[in-house]
Each structure stands twice: as C-alpha cells, then as structure tokens.
Amino acid sequence: MLIPLIYYSFATVLLAFTLLGIGNTVLQVSLNPLLLNVVAKGKFTSTLTLGQFIKAISSTLGPVIASAMVGIWGNWHLIFVVYAITSFLSCLWLAMTPIKEMPNTQSSQNIGNIFSLFYNPKLLIAFSVILLIVGFEIGLMTAVPKYLSEQCGLPIEKGSLGCSIYFAARTLGTFLGTIILARYSSGKFLTINMILAIAVFAIFMLVSDTTILLIALFLIGLTCANVFPIVFSQAIQSEPDKANEISALMIMGVAGGAILPVIMGLVADNSSQLISLLIPFAALIYILIVSIRQNNK
C-alpha cells in the first residue's frame, strides 16, 4: 500500500495490486486454519461466517472511505495511507495475541501433499463447490450491469447499482448466518439457501422489471452469502490435522473467479447476457445437489 504513495504510476499501481492479491491469498490460507486454535469446534462454522461478515463490511466501506478522502483532503490516493495503517495495526494485534497452535502431524509438507488431497472425494467435491461459488459471484457481478442494460435499458453506470445491492445483501446474509449457524445444522441451512437461490435466480432470468430484478439480486446475495464459509469449514473439520494443506487447497478454488466469467463472456459474445447466466444458474444447481447428497449420508 505504500508503493503508490512513493511513486504513483500505472505500473506501480499494478505492482501494488499484484502484491496485495498475493498477500490477501496468503492471509486466507493461513488465518482460516489458525482459527481452529482459538474457537471450539462446534463454533468454527459460525465464527468463520462472522469473519466473512467483517470482510463484507470492509468491502462495502471501501468506496465510502475513498469518497471521504476526496471530500476531506481532495485526494483519493490517501486511501492507501488508511489501508496501510489499518494493515499494520492488524498485523501488530495478531503478533501480540498469544495463540497455542495445534502440533502438525505431517512429517513433511510440500505441494504434493496439497494435491494428494484430491484423492479424497469429499475434499474434491468441496474444492469444486468453492471454485463454482467464487466463479458464480464474480461472473454474476461482471454480467449484472450489462444484463440490466440489456433487459431494462439502464445505462451501464446505473446498472452497477445491482452489484452494490448484491454486496449489501451478502453483508446482511453473513451476519444472519453467524447467528443461525451457531444453533442449526450447516448442511440443512445450505440446502435451504440453495433451493431459495435457484428459485430467485430463475425469476431473475425470466422478468425484465427493474424493481423485481433488483429485489431478486438482493435475495440471491442473501441466500448465497454463506456457501463459502460453510463448505470451507466442513472441509477443514473433515481432517483437522491437515488444516493447513486443506486451507491452501480450498483457497486455490478462488481461481473460479477467473474461469467462469471468461466462459460467460464468450457465451454472451455469441448469444446474449441472458444465455450466459445459465452458467451460474447451473453452478447453483450443482451446489444444491452436493448439499442434498451430503445431508443424506
């Protein structure tokens, strides 16, 4: 975050974002299994969901902080200062927090240990769900402005309102998930959410009224908000002694955000945004099937 402050150019901003992306991925890989050392097993899913809620709040506040920098100091670049200080304080807080980590039973750790987890059918399925839900979200957010423009005649810039509504619903969804998952089965909760998400997504693809589309987007964000933390926690808790390797494997599923949008873009270029939405719709159906099968075992 300090790089753009030292010298601001297109190249240095790209470098900063590259390092930020790498750092964020490392954080996700390490912090999730670290959580196993500080919360009871029965509260892991709800606590992980709480973390997603805090993360969603941070995402929502990003544009607000940037606007405040412009309004107060007339320079949005100062947002880098805010983020740098926040990151430093978070790092300092974690370093000062005493955490007794569980001993690692693995005699050796390498990339082979991680890929060998694919031989476990449960982890392979969990990875595929992570891949699809991340791809679903990024793909949908990429398509929404163009889709609203195509269906309702909204300008692209106004169509982006749908993305804000989705993330607002996602923030609310993770907050509610924190409460619900502390009391009820995560498997059944996931199945119910996927049934509702599929029903609402079908409506989203069938109507062209702006108000109904925006309400549908809100409900989609609400019902899909907890898929990632539920599946992630189920994967880690299946083999706690391999939490580090499983966490690394699951975070690799974030690559779905670079796969599904590309496929959707190719489909949209050769047909329409509506047809491209069948891809994330199919992803939701797959996740529903997986959740039902797991509940029946």
Side-chain angles (χ1 to χ4, degrees):
M1 289 295 93
L2 295 177
I3 293 175
L5 292 174
I6 297 172
Y7 182 73
Y8 187 87
S9 70
F10 181 66
T12 56
V13 169
L14 286 182
L15 175 61
F17 285 152
T18 299
L19 295 175
L20 182 63
I22 294 171
N24 184 52
T25 303
V26 172
L27 279 175
Q28 291 187 70
V29 171
S30 58
L31 286 178
N32 292 322
L34 186 64
L35 196 61
L36 279 172
N37 299 282
V38 295
V39 298
K41 184 177 180 181
K43 296 182 179 180
F44 181 70
T45 303
S46 62
T47 307
L48 190 61
T49 305
L50 177 61
Q52 292 293 313
F53 169 63
I54 295 173
K55 182 179 178 183
I57 291 177
S58 300
S59 299
T60 305
L61 288 177
V64 176
I65 298 173
S67 299
M69 294 301 100
V70 175
I72 297 173
W73 288 297
N75 186 354
W76 74 268
H77 296 175
L78 293 176
I79 193 173
F80 292 116
V81 177
V82 175
Y83 286 154
I85 294 174
T86 304
S87 299
F88 175 75
L89 292 177
S90 299
C91 181
L92 188 62
W93 190 0
L94 180 59
M96 295 173 63
T97 303
I99 300 175
K100 185 178 180 181
E101 297 188 53
M102 291 184 297
N104 197 314
T105 58
Q106 295 292 100
S107 57
S108 63
Q109 297 183 42
N110 52 52
I111 194 68
N113 293 133
I114 297 175
F115 285 111
S116 67
L117 296 174
F118 279 127
Y119 290 108
N120 184 330
K122 291 182 179 179
L123 295 179
L124 179 60
I125 291 174
F127 173 81
S128 67
V129 171
I130 294 291
L131 189 82
L132 289 176
I133 194 61
V134 175
F136 165 85
E137 186 169 273
I138 302 300
L140 181 62
M141 292 302 95
T142 302
V144 158
K146 295 180 181 179
Y147 181 69
L148 292 178
S149 176
E150 191 177 274
Q151 294 293 105
C152 310
L154 291 177
I156 293 292
E157 58 274 14
K158 289 187 177 181
S160 61
L161 172 66
C163 299
S164 299
I165 289 175
Y166 176 89
F167 281 112
R170 194 175 183 279
T171 302
L172 177 61
T174 50
F175 174 73
L176 295 175
T178 302
I179 301 171
I180 295 171
L181 290 169
R183 295 172 173 80
Y184 300 101
S185 165
S186 61
K188 292 180 180 179
F189 181 66
L190 178 60
T191 300
I192 293 171
N193 274 273
M194 287 301 96
I195 293 173
L196 294 174
I198 289 171
V200 175
F201 203 93
I203 295 173
F204 182 73
M205 293 190 295
L206 293 174
V207 302
S208 56
D209 181 81
T210 304
T211 302
I212 296 177
L213 285 173
L214 293 178
I215 293 173
L217 269 175
F218 181 87
L219 294 175
I220 292 170
L222 196 66
T223 52
C224 293
N226 298 294
V227 177
F228 183 93
I230 288 174
V231 175
F232 198 104
S233 64
Q234 288 176 345
I236 287 185
Q237 291 182 89
S238 66
E239 296 188 54
D241 59 317
K242 297 180 181 178
N244 290 342
E245 291 87 345
I246 293 174
S247 180
L249 181 68
M250 293 302 111
I251 294 301
M252 284 170 58
V254 174
I259 298 174
L260 261 66
V262 173
I263 299 173
M264 289 176 63
L266 293 173
V267 172
D269 289 343
N270 291 280
S271 54
S272 65
Q273 292 293 334
L274 176 61
I275 300 301
S276 72
L277 289 178
L278 291 174
I279 296 172
F281 185 66
L284 292 181
I285 294 175
Y286 173 83
I287 297 171
L288 173 62
I289 293 173
V290 168
S291 66
I292 292 174
R293 289 184 62 184
Q294 288 182 341
N295 287 334
N296 292 333
K297 288 183 179 179

